[in-house]
């Protein structure tokens, strides 16, 4: 089957930065709903369009094609009293970001008086290299299309 809109694509992948540092890899595969459902990077989806099982490729993505450039407005310092006593660097909290949308903020610094948070994705500003091999292609089920994402082999429940 050819990869096209509303197909489910199963990939084995490795994601590295442009220095070759391993950032993530599938274990063993991932599946996504193809055709603009935001399940994978748009440039990867574009490269896979029209291909079939066994196709392998490398897609290099500049920051504007991946997680964008660093946004200093997503970094903020808040009073320590607003956080639980056990707050520590690396913890994450949900809060309002730009345009009052919910955002995930990571704690980057804790002092006696303040907590510094950063809502930028950890890979912001990086050029990424995505190597993948198509391991399978199938038609999406009606339920997957309705929900806008792939359901696992044992189905999916909301």
């Amino acid at each position: 089957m050819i990869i096209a809109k509303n197909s489910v694509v199963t990939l084995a992948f490795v994601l590295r930065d442009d220095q070759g540092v391993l950032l993530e890899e599938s274990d063993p595969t991932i599946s996504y709903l193809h055709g603009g459902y935001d399940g994978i990077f748009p440039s990867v989806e574009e490269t896979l369009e029209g291909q079939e099982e066994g196709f392998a490729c490398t897609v290099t993505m500049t920051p504007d094609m991946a997680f964008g450039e660093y946004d200093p407005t997503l970094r903020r310092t808040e009073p320590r009293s607003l956080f639980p006593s056990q707050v520590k660097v690396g913890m994450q909290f949900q809060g309002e970001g730009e345009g009052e949308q919910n955002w995930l903020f990571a704690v980057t610094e804790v002092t006696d008086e303040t907590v510094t948070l950063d809502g930028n994705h950890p890979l912001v500003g990086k050029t990424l290299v995505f190597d993948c091999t198509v391991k399978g292609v199938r038609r999406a089920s009606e339920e997957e299309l309705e929900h806008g994402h792939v359901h696992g082999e044992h189905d999916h429940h909301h």
Side-chain angles (χ1 to χ4, degrees), residues 1-3 48 50-56 134 137:
M1 180 174 175
I2 299 295
I3 297 172
L48 295 176
Q51 302 300 329
E52 56 191 342
E53 188 173 329
F55 178 75
V134 178
V137 183

Side-chain angles (χ1 to χ4, degrees), residues 5-10 30-40 45 138-158:
K5 184 168 180 67
N6 299 334
S7 58
V8 172
V9 180
T10 300
I30 61 161
S31 295
Y32 77 94
L33 184 55
H34 188 85
Y37 295 94
D38 297 325
I40 200 159
E45 190 171 70
R138 66 171 173 81
R139 284 187 180 84
S141 70
E142 287 301 317
E143 188 177 34
E144 288 170 323
L145 294 174
E146 286 175 27
H147 293 175
H149 59 259
V150 175
H151 293 176
E153 62 184 87
H154 301 295
D155 203 15
H156 171 80
H157 302 284
H158 288 276

Side-chain angles (χ1 to χ4, degrees), residues 90-111:
M91 292 178 87
Q92 295 181 328
F93 294 91
Q94 192 168 354
E96 283 188 8
E98 204 170 291
E100 296 185 16
Q101 116 185 34
N102 283 331
W103 218 261
L104 192 61
F105 289 88
V107 175
T108 58
E109 183 181 1
V110 178
T111 70

Side-chain angles (χ1 to χ4, degrees), residues 81-92:
S81 61
L82 295 176
F83 294 87
S85 60
Q86 71 274 18
V87 67
K88 61 183 179 180
V89 171
M91 292 178 87
Q92 295 181 328

Side-chain angles (χ1 to χ4, degrees), residues 67-135:
F67 295 103
E69 295 294 343
Y70 186 83
D71 181 352
T73 67
L74 292 175
R75 185 174 171 86
R76 48 180 71 156
T77 301
E78 302 286 349
R80 176 80 166 75
S81 61
L82 295 176
F83 294 87
S85 60
Q86 71 274 18
V87 67
K88 61 183 179 180
V89 171
M91 292 178 87
Q92 295 181 328
F93 294 91
Q94 192 168 354
E96 283 188 8
E98 204 170 291
E100 296 185 16
Q101 116 185 34
N102 283 331
W103 218 261
L104 192 61
F105 289 88
V107 175
T108 58
E109 183 181 1
V110 178
T111 70
D112 289 340
E113 291 84 32
T114 63
V115 174
T116 303
L117 303 157
D118 193 339
N120 286 284
H121 190 282
L123 299 179
V124 72
K126 292 187 182 278
T127 295
L128 304 176
V129 180
F130 189 91
D131 290 307
C132 69
T133 302
V134 178
K135 296 296 188 177

